[in-house]
Amino acid sequence: MDSDPIRHLITPGLGSLFLFSVIGGVFLLLSGDDSFSDLATQMMINTVVVLGLQIYIGNTGILSFGHIGFGAISGYAFAIFAVSPSRKLIQIPNAPLGLAEIDLTPFQSGIAAIAITLVIAIIVGLALSRSGARSGSVAAVVITLALLFVVHEVATNWIDLTRGGKTGLSFSPFGGNTLQGSYPIILLLFAAIAVARLFKETRAGRLAQAAREDDLVARAMGINPAVQQMIALLLSVAVVAAGSAMRVYEIGSISPRLFFFDYTLLTLTMLIVGGRYSVTGAVAGVLVITAGKELTRNLAELDVDGFNWFFRDGLTDIFLGAAMLGFMIMRPAGLLGDWEFDHWLLRRFKGAKSPVPVSKPTIMTSAQLKADSVSVRFGGFIALDDAALTAKGGEVVGLIGPNGAGKTTLLNVITGLVQSDNGTVLIGSNSLTGLTPIKIARAGLARTFQNIRLFPALSVGENVEVIRLVAHRHRQGKEMPSTDSLLVKAGLWDQKEWRASELDYGNGRRLELARAAAAGPDFLLLDEPTSGMSDSESIDMIAQVRTMAELIGAGVVVIDHDLNFITGICDRVYVLDQGRVIAEGSPAEISNNPLVLAAYLGEKA
Amino acid sequence: MTELIQQIIDGLGRGGIYALLALGIAVIFGVMHLINFAHGELITVSAYSSYWLFSIGLDWWLIAPIIVVVALVTAVIIEFVAFRWVRGAPDFTMLMTSFGVHFLVQALFVMYVSANFRQFPRPEWIFATFRVGQLNLEIYDLTVIVITLLTLLATYLLLQRTMFGISLRAAAEDFDTARLMGIRSNRVIRSAFVLSGVLAGIAAVFWLMRSGQAGPTAGLSPMLKGVLAALIGGLGSLSGAVLGGFVLGLVEVLLISRLPSSIAGLTDGIVFLLIALLFVFRPQGLISVKHVERV
Amino acid sequence: MLGIESLTTRYGAITAVRDVELTVRAGEIVCLIGPNGAGKTTLLSTISGLLKPSTGRVVLDGNDVTGWAPDQMLRSGLALVPEHRRIFADFTVRENLMVGGVTQTASRREQLFDEITSLFPILKERLYTQAGFLSGGEAQQLAIGRALMSDPNVLLMDEPSLGLAPVLVDQVFELIGKLREGGRTLFVVEQNAQRMLSVADRAYVMRSGSIVTAGPAAELRGNEELFKTYLGRSGGAA
């Protein structure tokens, strides 16, 4: 994406075409036989809906039970518009707003249905972001489940509009319309595959994935997950809505049951079994689960002596429940994990790229970071007591002190993760006091974490790239080195395609540093960059931090316990003890200060 | 005024059942951070057991204690078969596992019994009413309230005064430290499921007395009510769950009596919507549970 | 009594404890000092069973107890006072102590409860206070008292003076002295090295996951080299 966004989309595009042809192939194969043609159409519709789920659940990690509720809204809106007025006068003569007289073509109705569903999706999306939805959050489960449930109840009870639960609203008394082999479904299928696959590569998609991997780090790096989650939601709801309208058209009628728990279970199982992080996985999930369903349906009709307790009606439901449960217990990432066909294609047919020349260092920032009279209490415990710290561009400032002295708390106050009771934080002339971590990151501070926090499921390159995307928009004044040159500088070029979770510890630390640098900050704040490193790794880290800071023109504030590292890298050092700054000066002054010795080793008794 | 008192009594009757369910859900959440969407399956299994016990001619007096045991055993089996294997897994995995159990149990009943609901006789005597002043009281409501309060009192004493309860609460507060104190993970989690099973069993007796039917989806509604009540109470908090149950019961009764009849069918939906709104504005529930992330 | 043989613990890619050997003999106070991130807490977690070692052995009273769960370790006579105390804040002081005695019979538990409350008079005054309201020093006494409720043969302590005001630090060391007189075997991780060395019999110094120095506490104490070993790297200029 560095130089040529179009080229970046070529392989995902090709991958989409491939997936489309696989589904298309299965479809053609099945349509040859009359008894399977309905199944083939159903499968295509399900693929569209599951891809819709994938766009949201896969990229954001937020578990939504509400998408089929959106499907119900779309399905009803579609049916109410598209059923002919004469049929409506029989079924829902008292529909409000004169809906009974409206006569739209299926295409117009579909568009209208998607539009209406999107309006509801915006409201639900706002509610989700207000609740602080993130990967695995309970609030999101409750809100989406409420949507599914409420839509179902309204559909069941608002008989004037929906004809209620028993019979449902139908196009004709004689069964469904047929979509078999028609262009709309084929086009929609292709569109859904392409949208889902390409969304993963877009800015919004990547930022959403970063927040999925670690919400807190994403915020501390300037990503506002709420925005990306909303985009993902709207896109996914549009796809689900389109698929659901088709489903209603194909079946020829709609009742509340059609879009409730059963369909939620079916589509979620397909997604999860296939692999929710992968578009290829979502499609594979549809194929596998459809095949399994058909197989168990046929098995259920078998008559084998001694096995009739097993081969009987209901076997398909058992299969679905067992598939979901089994995968959650044994292989929670699904069949394919995050494997994409086109990634494989890319690696297979393209040799290793040679690294680009490393960019020239950027002009050093002229800003100054200043924290003044910062105090923090946790309950009765005084974590920081009137602490202060100043760092200039081009300077490396150390922050040392015994365990529990308040070093990380000070860093957390500066980056907005902890609210101070008292005190100010300034960068240049801008006050950062009281701002959110997102805004502080965008104002020019980037940090690493004591207990190393990468985006584990993203590749090494993506870890850096995604933060560079943030910098690209929010740090426009800053001239930034490319992702590749950051990786080369960090010594991680050869591991670019690795998953971040596969890195060893030292490389993980280096990646965290490169990722912070990619944010284009005026100051890098490093929390124990050498902890857990071997002696030689820790010496290397001195040069590593210095070159990285020079490359992006940033000052550095670093916490560490290793005095060799601190003396080797710092221009100035602050010593914290029990929340107070007890000494400040050059590393040489500090190591000869008796107060520091006492703080570290305890007073001699 | 009389009307309001009447409604409060009705609400407490309903709420008592919800409180028992919610307490079981909160106990399990406490020790394993799992929202048990399969809690309703205890009711489903109890419902089919009641149906079967009726068909062999037993009476409610005998069926009630048997159901409590059935719910207990079912809870332990579900823990052993499914939840044990996802202990400590990411939230997403645990949520989907509990839904998986929910759907699988439902499917088993569809396969081996029927997708249709089966009726069994309700104990009509318990729905008899008597008048106190202007109030029209159902024996049922009073029984539910009394038994619920006794059960809650017993649970309270169990949790506060016995080593069993102290261990359970310790594990709910800090699982690793509890292990350091010598508390066995398997045993304490199993005991949480035993307790939640017993509470669900008592709730099931009352629920089934009123519904008088068994079906694969019989547990759906009680599960939702229990989860919602636990959510109102903040999930981790046991007293919050009990309070949440009573609040939910009262809100429901007040809604039913005040909503125009044309949308009375939407009561459940409205309650759900209210709780979703609660989450939008107070994601930590009515009673917040401290959660500090160390960085 | 407690023996650690070439123990290595990894968290994913991190090797937090590397080939550690140490012994604690009955009746001794042994301390483990070293900078933050050296792997001290990981070592204690591995010994107490919260983490599984990758290689190596943990031997307690001559039995191989490698990989045992924390409750099994406790039942075999080894208790840990965890870092940050980790008392049950919603519980009363009394209940906290009761949890500590969960493995004892009821009568033995009462007996231990009496012994420990007389050892910690402050706790006795506050039996029905919610533990979350205790001051740092009281909470530390409670954490130690809670661990003693299992009547352990070996008591591990992780940073008992962490986050305490100087006066309270004195109390903690007084307490360690008391336990020593009571004949307990202690293995203590502590950052207040000078103070700790003055009460300990022997000491180990840990850095980057390995033991770098070991010896009698008196010898290490006041050793100028210690400061360098502690905070810097070997061969460094600090």
Side-chain angles (χ1 to χ4, degrees), chain A residues 381 402-404 450 503-505 528 530 532-535 538 561-564 578 591 597 600-605, chain C residues 13-14 35-37 83 159 162-164 166 191-195 207-208 221 227 230-234 236-238:
Chain A
F381 178 66
N403 205 353
Q450 198 171 353
L503 290 181
D504 65 23
Y505 192 67
E528 300 201 17
T530 74
M533 280 189 165
S534 70
D535 288 3
S538 140
H561 279 86
D562 181 348
L563 264 201
N564 273 358
Q578 309 218 355
S591 38
L597 198 85
Y600 264 87
L601 297 182
E603 69 277 34
K604 296 194 183 186
Chain C
I14 312 165
N36 213 3
E83 195 182 8
E159 304 263 14
L162 181 61
L164 297 183
Q191 54 167 337
N192 201 331
Q194 298 291 4
R195 288 292 294 273
R207 191 166 45 74
S208 300
R221 197 171 158 226
F227 185 51
Y230 196 0
L231 299 167
R233 307 281 174 169
S234 50

Side-chain angles (χ1 to χ4, degrees), chain C residues 123-194:
Chain C
L123 298 183
K124 198 168 194 170
E125 283 166 31
R126 309 227 158 167
L127 281 182
Y128 297 97
T129 309
Q130 202 178 322
F133 294 116
L134 293 182
S135 73
E138 292 163 349
Q140 185 62 60
Q141 300 197 21
L142 176 58
I144 295 170
R146 185 181 62 179
L148 290 175
M149 280 293 291
S150 68
D151 196 16
N153 298 326
V154 187
L155 182 63
L156 313 188
M157 296 170 126
D158 196 352
E159 304 263 14
S161 78
L162 181 61
L164 297 183
V167 195
L168 298 174
V169 173
D170 291 346
Q171 285 181 8
V172 167
F173 283 102
E174 233 168 76
L175 187 64
I176 291 176
K178 249 194 221 177
L179 293 174
R180 172 202 185 87
E181 282 158 28
R184 300 270 179 193
T185 307
L186 298 182
F187 181 53
V188 186
V189 165
E190 179 54 58
Q191 54 167 337
N192 201 331
Q194 298 291 4

Side-chain angles (χ1 to χ4, degrees), chain A residues 57 61-63 65 127-128 130-132 134-139 141-143 145-146 149-150 153-154 157 216 260-262 265 268 272 276 309-315 317-318 321-322 324-325 328-329 332 408 412 417 447 449-451 453 527, chain B residues 29 35 37 81-83 85-86 91-104 106-113 220 223-224 227-228 231 235 262 264-270 272-273 275-277 279-283 291 293-295:
Chain A
I57 298 177
I62 299 171
L63 181 51
F65 286 99
L128 282 170
R130 178 71 184 71
S131 80
R134 56 172 150 159
S135 185
S137 84
V138 175
V141 172
V142 175
I143 292 167
L145 209 50
F149 206 76
V150 168
E153 291 238 313
V154 169
N157 286 285
L216 183 125
F260 201 40
F261 277 125
D262 287 349
L265 169 69
L268 271 179
I272 280 165
R276 61 189 181 276
W309 57 270
F310 185 73
F311 297 126
R312 58 194 291 174
D313 280 351
L315 192 61
D317 288 341
I318 299 273
M324 176 180 277
L325 195 57
M328 278 297 105
I329 292 175
T408 298
N412 285 346
L417 292 173
R447 68 172 292 172
F449 294 82
Q450 198 171 353
N451 45 352
R453 294 176 79 152
D527 197 350
Chain B
F29 185 83
I35 304 176
F37 284 101
V81 172
F83 294 138
W85 311 105
V86 293
D91 294 346
F92 190 101
T93 307
M94 293 218 276
L95 278 170
M96 291 314 296
T97 305
S98 75
F99 270 98
V101 172
H102 166 78
F103 288 122
L104 192 59
Q106 218 169 292
L108 281 171
F109 280 111
V110 170
M111 185 162 168
Y112 288 109
V113 188
L220 183 61
M223 178 274 279
L224 285 173
V227 169
L228 291 180
L231 289 171
L235 264 179
S262 58
L266 291 177
T267 311
D268 282 352
I270 292 170
F272 217 141
L273 201 62
I275 284 159
L277 286 176
F279 262 80
V280 172
F281 295 102
R282 269 188 75 88
H291 177 75
E293 188 171 15
R294 277 178 67 86
V295 288

Side-chain angles (χ1 to χ4, degrees), chain A residues 28-316:
Chain A
L28 280 178
L29 214 69
L30 289 178
S31 334
D33 186 332
D34 272 352
S35 54
F36 282 122
S37 63
D38 277 352
L39 178 68
T41 316
Q42 265 177 36
M43 202 175 71
M44 291 169 85
I45 292 170
N46 288 342
T47 309
V48 172
V49 173
V50 171
L51 286 167
L53 292 177
Q54 194 280 330
I55 294 173
Y56 188 68
I57 298 177
N59 289 294
T60 68
I62 299 171
L63 181 51
S64 164
F65 286 99
H67 272 66
I68 300 307
F70 288 121
I73 296 172
S74 171
Y76 269 105
F78 174 76
I80 289 164
F81 289 130
V83 170
S84 68
S86 57
R87 283 285 299 159
K88 277 192 278 200
L89 281 173
I90 302 167
Q91 301 182 82
I92 46 168
N94 301 320
L97 306 170
L99 283 169
E101 279 98 56
I102 284 186
D103 187 12
L104 296 181
T105 66
F107 180 73
Q108 291 166 329
S109 308
I111 299 295
I114 293 171
I116 290 170
T117 314
L118 282 176
V119 172
I120 310 273
I122 289 173
I123 298 167
V124 174
L126 289 174
L128 282 170
S129 67
R130 178 71 184 71
S131 80
R134 56 172 150 159
S135 185
S137 84
V138 175
V141 172
V142 175
I143 292 167
T144 53
L145 209 50
L147 176 79
L148 180 68
F149 206 76
V150 168
V151 171
H152 180 262
E153 291 238 313
V154 169
T156 311
N157 286 285
W158 197 352
I159 293 171
D160 282 352
L161 184 69
T162 65
R163 210 185 171 203
K166 289 270 171 345
T167 42
L169 188 59
S170 60
F171 282 82
S172 92
F174 314 110
N177 311 291
T178 178
L179 275 168
Q180 190 197 338
S182 69
Y183 287 108
I185 178 68
I186 291 171
L187 279 177
L188 179 62
L189 179 65
F190 180 67
I193 292 174
V195 165
R197 183 63 196 92
L198 295 182
F199 180 70
K200 271 184 84 174
E201 309 298 327
T202 60
R203 183 188 138 86
R206 287 161 157 240
L207 265 47
Q209 291 153 29
R212 172 193 81 199
E213 291 298 307
D214 195 325
D215 190 78
L216 183 125
V217 173
R219 286 168 197 272
M221 291 289 167
I223 296 174
N224 183 356
V227 174
Q228 326 309 334
Q229 287 162 4
M230 180 63 104
I231 297 172
L233 180 70
L234 295 185
L235 213 50
S236 79
V237 167
V239 173
V240 168
S244 303
M246 291 258 181
R247 183 161 184 251
V248 172
Y249 189 74
E250 160 77 12
I251 292 172
S253 67
I254 181 169
S255 63
R257 284 197 48 197
L258 200 58
F259 293 93
F260 201 40
F261 277 125
D262 287 349
Y263 197 52
T264 303
L265 169 69
L266 177 69
T267 48
L268 271 179
T269 308
M270 286 170 166
L271 178 64
I272 280 165
V273 166
R276 61 189 181 276
Y277 295 154
S278 156
V279 174
T280 316
V283 173
V286 175
L287 292 176
V288 169
I289 294 296
T290 309
K293 260 183 73 179
E294 290 312 305
L295 185 68
T296 46
R297 198 198 307 285
N298 287 317
L299 284 180
E301 283 162 16
L302 284 183
D303 190 11
V304 183
D305 268 347
F307 285 96
N308 285 338
W309 57 270
F310 185 73
F311 297 126
R312 58 194 291 174
D313 280 351
L315 192 61
T316 49

